[in-house]
Every structure is written in C-alpha cells, then in structure tokens.
Amino acid sequence: MTAIRFEKVTKHFGDTVALDDVSFNVDPGETVVLLGLSGSGKSTLLRHVDGLHKANAGNVVTLDTDLNRARGTRLRQLRRRIGFVFQQFHLVGSLSVLENVCTGELGRLRGPRLGLMTYPKKVRLEALGHLERVGLAKKAFQRADTLSGGEQQRVAVARALMQRPEILLADEPVASLDPESSGQVMRLIRDIAGEQHLTVLCSLHQVELALSWADRIVGLRSGNVVLDEKAGNVDHHRAATEIYGRGALAASG
Amino acid sequence: MTTLTRPGPRLATLHRPRIRSVVAALVLLAFLGLTVWAFDDLQINVATLVDSAHNAVDFAGRAFPLTFPPVSEVLRLTGETMAIVICGTAMAVVISVVLAVLAAANTTPHPIVRYVARAVIAVARAIPDVVLAALFFGVFGFGALAGILAMGLHSVGMVGKLYADAIEKIDEGPRSAVRAGGAGRFQELITGVLPQVMPAFVATALHRVDINLRTSVLLGFVGVGGLGFEISNSLQTLDYPTGIALALIVLVLCIIVELMSGAIRRAMLHPKTTAPLARTSGQISPQWTFARIRKAFYVLLTVAIVVASVWGAHISPGQVAGALTALGRILPQSWPPSFVPGLFSALWDTIKIALASMLIGIVLALPLGALAARNVAPRAARYFRVLIVCIRGIPELVLGIVFVVITGLGPVAGALALGLSTIGFMGKLVADSLEEVDRDVEQALRATGAGRFQVFVTATLPQAAPAVVSHTFYQFDENFRSSTLLGIVGAGGIGFQLLEASRVLEYDVIGAIVVLTFGTVMVVELLALGIRRVVR
C-alpha cells in the first residue's frame, strides 16, 4: 500500500504547463522532499494531493481515495486526514492563536464557528495540548498576527496536528523564515512526524537542507521529475545540476 | 557620429493622440460644456444672489426667534428617526452580506450567479430611495415601514458593492488553509473570510448609518415619520420658527451620530495594542481584559440598538406580510409607465441642477482639496481638513431648505444647496487622491530645483488626475440622485413631479420616474466606465 500515488499527472494553467507526466509514489511513514526552483511545479503538485488542484490528465490517489472522483463530503473527509503547512503560514491574523489551532478541527465539527468560545471545551483543551507541543501555549490568547514568522509557522503546525493527520504536506515551510526559526520549524516537523509515524511530503529549494532532512528526494524541473532517489545516494553536485541546471554549478564554483 | 542640433522637420516632438483618448477628451469637454451651459441656463449668478438677499432678511425675520418643541417631543421624534435609520441599515446589511458573497468573484457559486447579484446591486443603487419611498408610501400608508424598506433596498446598492469588493480583496491564504483542513463551504466563509472582511463590513455599515440619517429626514417629506415629517409639516403651514428649529436639531443629530460612529469604528477596528496576553498554565479561556469587555459591550450594544429599533418602529411580521401583498397589488399599476407631459423637462431640470452643482462644487473643491492635502500645503492642510469636515456635516436637507427660502422655490436653490454639499464630499476626495500620489516623483522634481507650484502641476496633479476624474463621475451620480431628493423640498425637477404623483397615487407616473432615473444613472455609469478605461 502507498500513501500517495501520482500516475502520469499533467496540469496546465492556460498555456503554461505546470506538471508534465509526473509519476512517483510515497510510502506510509516516509519523508519525501520535493526539490526544485520556484515555478518548477512543487506547490502545484502538493495541492493535487488533497484536491486543492485537479489534474488535467493522470491520476492522484491519496490514502486510497482517487482525487479525480472525490468531491463534496468525500473530499472533505480525505482533507481531514491530511495536514497542510503553507509557506506564508495562512493563519487568520485577527483571530487568537488558540482559535487558529481549533480551526483544524472544523472538518469534524458540524456547522460554522464564530469565536473561540463556540468550540467545545474538549477541542480547546486538545488545541492547547498541541500548542504546548510546539512550545507556544503561553501565547494562546494573543492575536495570531502579533507573532513572529517562526512562531506563526509553529502555530500552523499545531493547526495541522489538530486534524490528527496521517499525511503532512508542507509547501516551502521555511522559505519566509530566518535561519534560526527555519531550523526550529524543520526539527519540529521531523520530530512530530517521527513520533506520530506521519507520511511527509515537503517542498524545499535548498539542496543541503533537503539532503540532511529527507528519506528520499524527488527533483522537479519545469514540471518534470528529474531525480528520484534515497537521500543517502544523492550526490550534492549532481542533484544541483539536475534540478537547477548547469548555471548552478558554475555559480556555486 | 552625427550631431543632433535641432530636430529635423520629420522628427515629431508631439506624439500622435490615440483615437480612444480623443473620444474620451471630447466626451469630457462636452460634459464640461454642458455643465457651464446648465449653470448659465439656471441663471445662477451674483445678481440673482443679490436679488435674493432681501428674501433672506425677510425670512430671518419670520423664522426667528426659533420655537423648539418640548424636549419629550424632540426625543420622541429623534427616536423615531433613528429607529427607521437603524432598521433600514440593518436590513441593507443583512441583504448585502448574502448578495456580496454571491457577487464576489472568489466566493460566488457560479459566474452567472455573480452577474445576476452584481446587477441586482447596481439596480438598487440606481433607484433613489426617495423614489422607492414614494412608491411604497401609498402601499403601506404613513409610518415607518415604507421608509425602512426604501432605505434598506437602496442602501444595498452601496453596501453590497463595498462588501463584495472587500471579499474580493481578502488574502486567500487563510481560506485555503481552512479548506485544506476539510472544512465545508459555510465553515470556510465564517472562519476564512469573515474575520478578514469584518473591519470593512463594520466601517461601511456605520458610514451608511450617517448617510441614511440624512436621507431619512428627506424621506419625511414623502410621508415617512420622524423629524423630517415634522419639518415638512411645519414648512407647509409656514411655521418657520419650528421648522428651522427642527432642522437645527437634525444638524446636531447628524454631528453627534457622525462622532459616535467614528468613535465606534476606531475602537472596533484599531484596538490599542495592549500588552500581550500571557496565558498561565491551566487556563483554558482568555481572561476578561478591559479591551475584551469593551468589545463585547459594543457587540451587545449594537444588538440591543437594532432590537430596540425594530421594536420602536412598530414592525410586526404580519405588517410586513401585509405590505408585501399590497406591493404585489400596486406594482402592476405602475406598469406600463406613463410618461406624462412635463416629465422629460422635469428630468432635464434635475440633470441641470446636478450639473450646475457639480460646477460649483468642483471649482471650489479643487483648490480647497489641494490646500487640505498634506503634501501640497504642509502647514495649512490641517485647518482646511477641518473646514471640509464641517461642510460635510451639514445635511443637504438643511441646505436645501435654507436656499429654497432665500432664493425662492426652483432649481437655483437646489443647485446652490447641492453645490455646497458637493464641496464637502469632493474636497475630501480631492485631498485624499492628492495625498495618495507617489511622493518619490515629487521629490525627484524638487531635486531638480522646481518650485512648489511646478511640482504640484507636473508631479502631483497628473498622478492624482485619474482618481479625481473618476470621483467626479461618481459624484455626478450622487448629485443626480440628491437633486431628485431636493426636488421634494421645492427645488424643482423630477423630485417635485414625484412628490405630486405620490400625493395623488399615480403609480404609473411613479413607474415612469423610476424608469427615467434608472436610465439616467445607468447612462452616467457607462460613460464613467468608458472614461475610466482611458484616463488611467
């Protein structure tokens, strides 16, 4: 059984081809990093996993659900099992940190929620637990937009945990962060993935970080898979050439 | 290498204009010419004003000393007016939220739904509330309901549009995060969209309360209860001391409400940054800080005011249902519309009033607005801003009454009253547009040694021009509707015909007036749209 299966996935936006015949699998519990330049199709591919984008051709099968067919309730049920961490955090800035974490539970709750007190106490307690885990329980009642970038991303991780996910997707989770916060967030995601046996599919653009972090590397270039190997077998220079083109080698000396 | 001493005969130093810009320029020139002609045709000039001076003195003699009604009566009337305003605005907000979700590109279920919703909003905007009120008034009789419905439906035109714009401007990120978590459509709207648009929603609603308070008084003239109704009665019985006293109360009420809504807006939208709320272990809900208590208080207060207004306006579900069936009976009577003789010339008068008032307004608003912009007149700006706010504060109705009395019944009074209120609105828009220009360009020019006036003409004005032009067309729209309103207090034009028709229950004439005003507003909007495409 595989957690995520891409079969000849093709996606274009107008005349721009974002994904061109992409195929590979991600096994349960595996940590896979998508490497590539911006515009190489990483984010687009990630968004296919939980149906935020639909493929023009080919199949995406996530947790035995065919994304071409899933819609409505079935799609939402699938999304509940998949946590998503975005580059720009995507917290609701005017809501409190705790409420933002609670929104991870919306998929399981009936009806809309307006205000922290409308979430059941049990949910709030669980959310506090996740905030504790990411080290931000003290700031639970602050407005989310008063936090630093690194803190906001940790809140986003807690929100993903609130879904009790089986898969964690992360789209350039540290691209907007300073080196220290980056390290914190990446360690946090790896530790949590280990503790909870999560399948992780994460896009990055730094080769070095990816090699030290992932089980496996998948390289994308202009929508094509140009590299798919165990992290241990990947040669740094070769990876850079494949993914970033010849210019990268010349530039890095 | 050749040395270029002067351009040869074939080297053009001016670029050939594009046809689109020529057409736009011609339309603008025609508009300007029409405006000047309207101004002249209405015979608004110093001589007319001097002639009227003795009227003013005469009037003052009859109006003063003012007689104020007893306090309890004033409070009752104020309460009635406010109840109508709040109910109307609340109704508009409820309808607008639904329509805006359907009309915003990013939340609409289907593009066709979007166009329908946008069209409904545009239609609501194009039919002046006073026309609606005149139509409803015969249906529901005297009382609050006609006014509330008219105001509520017409306000959707502005509130719905601004709400939809606010929804289209949100950051899609939080929303897609909520969706990625498996939330449903409604949950997505409440959690991902609503918190982001809340400030804009609140600000727009409060702004609309200000506007509706002003129109509610005018609606009194077609039979909607409250302060306006009493003013209308007093003036008709030539009881000027009471009429003017009540108008003065309206002025004070407008200022109080404007100050209050400003304070609420600031408190709700720009909360003072308080010390971060640290959470102590074991605590599972936020502590009741002063800021939180205050916010909850405002929310409860708003709910209480709306409930009290609905109760105070004596509206019952049965009454609303009865009104709706009556409306179903009346609407067929307004179709086919009957374009009685005189209607078109009345429409033409109304357009002339709007045009002339634009000329007065803009000629005075441009310098005033420039002086109120911080980057144009750094030292004087503050004082001119205050002046503009003061002019804006005076309701058109009060201006209308004063000018009708001074210059006599007729279009001149309407044009002067509207012109003065236009100065307030346009002045602010001009000042804002000027302040929003790119300061670096000004600085670059200043660095070349250009004088202050040169900088203004070369750097500031061209950058602000597109915004000013589009505001001008918007303002003409507004003035056209307002001049319809002012016809009702005796400024002539189609408003006067409307008043007559509503008194004798000629629904087919009212229907014709609806068609005419709607058509005019649509033509102006299309013109404005075309011009905006070119002047960018």
Side-chain angles (χ1 to χ4, degrees):
Chain A
M1 184 199 134
T2 55
I4 308 167
R5 199 162 75 229
F6 298 103
E7 286 169 357
K8 299 179 183 268
V9 177
T10 299
K11 173 77 176 176
H12 42 81
F13 299 104
D15 291 338
T16 324
V17 176
L19 296 173
D20 183 9
D21 203 23
V22 171
S23 299
F24 70 92
N25 295 341
V26 180
D27 290 329
E30 199 180 16
T31 298
V32 176
V33 164
L34 286 171
L35 263 182
L37 286 169
S38 44
S40 61
K42 301 177 307 238
S43 303
T44 311
L45 190 63
L46 279 173
R47 278 156 205 269
H48 277 79
V49 175
D50 68 351
L52 288 176
H53 285 335
K54 292 261 188 230
N56 295 113
N59 293 316
V60 180
V61 181
T62 308
L63 300 171
D64 294 326
T65 306
D66 182 351
L67 265 305
N68 282 345
R69 298 208 190 131
R71 50 179 68 225
T73 317
R74 239 180 102 213
L75 184 59
R76 289 203 291 278
Q77 273 167 354
L78 173 68
R79 284 177 179 164
R80 276 165 219 172
R81 300 159 70 192
I82 306 171
F84 208 134
V85 176
F86 299 85
Q87 176 181 345
Q88 294 297 341
F89 332 129
H90 291 351
L91 300 181
V92 185
S94 55
L95 300 184
S96 70
V97 167
L98 186 60
E99 190 169 350
N100 267 289
V101 178
C102 287
T103 61
E105 183 78 7
L106 276 175
R108 273 190 217 91
L109 295 170
R110 285 236 184 107
R113 304 286 152 157
L114 194 59
L116 182 59
M117 306 311 273
T118 59
Y119 288 92
K121 191 171 170 185
K122 216 182 91 201
V123 172
R124 279 182 277 150
L125 280 172
E126 192 186 331
L128 275 173
H130 293 308
L131 275 178
E132 201 92 53
R133 176 66 189 82
V134 300
L136 287 170
K138 268 210 168 75
K139 305 208 167 182
F141 300 134
Q142 283 188 36
R143 270 172 70 117
D145 55 12
T146 61
L147 267 55
S148 71
E151 288 171 335
Q152 290 198 34
Q153 194 60 299
R154 277 146 65 198
V155 174
V157 171
R159 176 177 62 189
L161 288 179
M162 194 70 201
Q163 294 174 234
R164 286 171 247 143
E166 293 156 57
I167 296 178
L168 188 64
L169 303 175
D171 185 9
E172 292 273 12
V174 296
S176 321
L177 300 180
D178 61 79
E180 199 189 323
S181 313
S182 297
Q184 264 183 351
V185 168
M186 291 308 280
R187 268 197 304 280
L188 186 67
I189 295 179
R190 188 174 56 191
D191 292 351
I192 288 172
E195 288 160 23
Q196 310 197 2
H197 310 292
L198 298 181
T199 308
V200 179
L201 184 57
C202 170
S203 71
L204 291 173
H205 62 267
Q206 308 98 318
V207 179
E208 215 124 346
L209 180 61
L211 288 178
S212 67
W213 197 76
D215 298 334
R216 206 172 108 212
I217 308 283
V218 172
L220 279 180
R221 190 173 162 188
S222 334
N224 292 294
V225 175
V226 291
L227 181 89
D228 182 356
E229 268 180 72
K230 291 261 179 244
N233 303 338
V234 175
D235 173 75
H236 186 157
H237 278 286
R238 196 171 70 77
T241 328
E242 291 286 355
I243 295 161
Y244 298 137
R246 260 157 237 220
L249 261 190
S252 65
Chain B
M1 200 181 124
T2 54
T3 31
L4 238 176
T5 44
R6 65 178 56 184
R10 289 170 59 78
L11 221 60
T13 53
L14 292 170
H15 65 82
R16 190 193 292 266
R18 290 172 310 155
I19 292 176
R20 284 193 329 162
S21 350
V22 174
V23 172
L26 284 179
V27 170
L28 279 177
L29 268 181
F31 192 68
L32 191 69
L34 201 63
T35 306
V36 174
W37 175 79
F39 190 78
D40 183 58
D41 190 56
L42 291 177
Q43 295 183 323
I44 303 170
N45 50 43
V46 180
T48 317
L49 290 180
V50 171
D51 279 351
S52 317
H54 75 274
N55 284 343
V57 176
D58 187 37
F59 164 72
R62 279 187 290 153
F64 293 94
L66 300 175
T67 44
F68 285 89
V71 178
S72 62
E73 180 70 3
V74 169
L75 286 180
R76 189 186 65 76
L77 290 172
T78 306
E80 202 176 339
T81 294
M82 286 309 292
I84 293 171
V85 169
I86 304 265
C87 285
T89 312
M91 176 181 155
V93 165
V94 172
I95 300 175
S96 295
V97 168
V98 177
L99 273 178
V101 169
L102 300 177
N106 48 348
T107 52
T108 189
H110 194 276
I112 293 176
V113 177
R114 175 168 186 242
Y115 286 116
V116 172
R118 285 266 173 197
V120 171
I121 291 172
V123 169
R125 215 171 93 82
I127 306 178
D129 27 20
V130 70
V131 177
L132 287 174
L135 188 64
F136 294 158
F137 154 73
V139 185
F140 315 142
F142 288 89
L145 196 58
I148 292 170
L149 279 180
M151 207 178 273
L153 292 181
H154 174 67
S155 301
V156 167
M158 173 189 126
V159 179
K161 179 172 188 306
L162 292 181
Y163 279 14
D165 290 351
I167 294 178
E168 283 180 355
K169 260 187 251 159
I170 63 160
D171 172 10
E172 286 291 324
R175 188 167 163 231
S176 59
V178 172
R179 188 181 329 148
R185 254 188 80 79
F186 199 42
Q187 291 177 324
E188 200 181 301
L189 285 179
I190 296 292
T191 307
V193 179
L194 189 62
Q196 293 192 62
V197 295
M198 204 58 185
F201 277 21
V202 171
T204 304
L206 288 172
H207 185 195
R208 195 66 215 185
V209 169
D210 290 345
I211 296 176
N212 282 348
L213 174 58
R214 287 172 168 72
T215 31
S216 81
V217 181
L218 273 169
L219 293 184
F221 282 70
V222 291
V224 175
L227 285 164
F229 190 64
E230 288 306 314
I231 294 179
S232 158
N233 278 347
S234 310
L235 294 184
Q236 268 163 28
T237 54
L238 303 183
D239 180 5
Y240 290 123
T242 310
I244 299 301
L246 285 170
L248 210 61
I249 289 168
V250 169
L251 177 62
V252 173
L253 186 62
C254 281
I255 293 170
I256 291 175
V257 168
E258 185 132 5
L259 288 177
M260 264 171 58
S261 68
I264 295 175
R265 207 159 23 204
R266 273 192 299 280
M268 279 179 94
L269 306 183
H270 307 286
K272 289 197 190 74
T273 37
T274 42
L277 286 166
R279 175 184 159 268
T280 47
S281 58
Q283 190 190 348
I284 64 158
S285 48
Q287 54 272 66
W288 283 95
T289 56
F290 176 66
R292 196 169 164 227
I293 293 170
R294 188 177 53 187
K295 197 172 164 185
F297 171 74
Y298 278 130
V299 172
L300 285 177
L301 186 67
T302 308
V303 173
I305 288 178
V306 172
V307 170
S309 301
V310 172
W311 179 77
H314 306 293
I315 301 170
S316 64
Q319 196 188 2
V320 175
L324 288 179
T325 48
L327 192 63
R329 206 178 57 239
I330 291 299
L331 276 182
Q333 289 184 36
S334 64
W335 201 265
S338 129
F339 296 92
V340 293
L343 214 51
F344 284 98
S345 74
L347 175 72
W348 187 226
D349 271 348
T350 300
I351 294 177
K352 276 195 288 193
I353 295 174
L355 284 170
S357 67
M358 285 297 294
L359 189 65
I360 300 172
I362 290 181
V363 165
L364 293 173
L366 281 178
L368 198 62
L371 287 171
R374 259 171 297 147
N375 50 340
V376 180
R379 267 183 293 274
R382 185 184 310 177
Y383 305 104
F384 282 98
R385 277 276 180 188
V386 173
L387 180 62
I388 289 176
V389 169
C390 289
I391 298 176
R392 274 164 69 92
I394 311 173
E396 283 151 15
L397 169 85
V398 174
L399 290 173
I401 293 173
V402 169
F403 281 108
V404 161
V405 169
I406 293 178
T407 67
L409 292 174
V412 177
L416 289 176
L418 258 186
L420 199 56
S421 82
T422 307
I423 297 173
F425 284 98
M426 277 302 284
K428 180 181 187 302
L429 293 175
V430 169
D432 289 350
S433 312
L434 288 174
E435 280 182 0
E436 274 161 21
V437 303
D438 186 353
R439 301 284 171 90
D440 292 344
V441 183
E442 294 180 349
Q443 213 145 46
L445 225 72
R446 209 168 292 133
T448 66
R452 187 188 274 186
F453 191 62
Q454 288 175 318
V455 171
F456 174 70
V457 171
T458 320
T460 317
L461 206 54
Q463 290 191 73
V468 171
V469 169
S470 85
H471 285 322
T472 305
F473 273 96
Y474 174 74
Q475 189 65 44
F476 177 72
D477 239 37
E478 286 288 310
N479 280 20
F480 175 71
R481 278 188 286 265
S482 303
S483 79
T484 314
L485 289 175
L486 282 174
I488 284 169
V489 298
I494 206 158
F496 186 66
Q497 304 274 334
L498 178 68
L499 190 61
E500 295 288 290
S502 78
R503 287 213 173 114
V504 293
L505 306 181
E506 284 173 339
Y507 291 107
D508 47 352
V509 176
I510 297 182
I513 292 174
V514 170
V515 171
L516 289 179
T517 50
F518 178 74
T520 309
V521 171
M522 281 297 153
V523 168
V524 173
E525 299 230 321
L526 286 177
L527 268 183
L529 202 69
I531 297 283
R532 257 196 300 259
R533 286 237 173 99
V534 181
V535 189
R536 240 198 312 233

